[in-house]
Amino acid sequence: MGRTNPTFRDVLRSVEDRWQPFRRALRHEDQQRFDRLLKHAQTHADAAGNLNHQSPIVPILVAIALAQERRIDELEQQLADSGGEQACSPNETRG
């Protein structure tokens, strides 16, 4: 019989399990932030599964970075809409 590979969601669950001691050592408010980071990885699990990278942490970190980039864009837009300081446009490079 052929061998089946675990889905990325299975791999992600395994990574989450391995990081539980770290999570438990965090302060409560940081545990919530940590959970949100992993939620970003879950949100992009389909794309990460298509990548089929050797190291599961790579697509997890890219998913987190992508979600944070989206959040930065949203906050910059809110700042621009509220008439705040001149915000960097989403197409500009942040430095």
Side-chain angles (χ1 to χ4, degrees), residues 25-86:
L26 294 171
R27 292 185 174 145
H28 180 69
E29 63 271 11
D30 288 334
Q31 288 179 1
Q32 294 172 342
R33 291 179 180 106
F34 183 79
D35 292 344
R36 281 196 307 264
L37 292 177
L38 292 179
K39 184 71 174 163
H40 295 318
Q42 293 168 357
T43 301
H44 295 90
D46 291 337
N50 286 330
L51 180 60
N52 198 23
H53 199 278
Q54 270 185 309
S55 172
I57 201 69
V58 172
I60 290 170
L61 293 174
V62 171
I64 290 168
L66 180 62
Q68 289 180 340
E69 182 71 16
R70 182 177 56 243
R71 182 67 179 139
I72 290 168
D73 288 346
E74 291 168 356
L75 292 171
E76 287 176 342
Q77 187 60 51
Q78 288 176 11
L79 182 61
D81 291 347
S82 69
E85 297 286 326
Q86 181 178 358

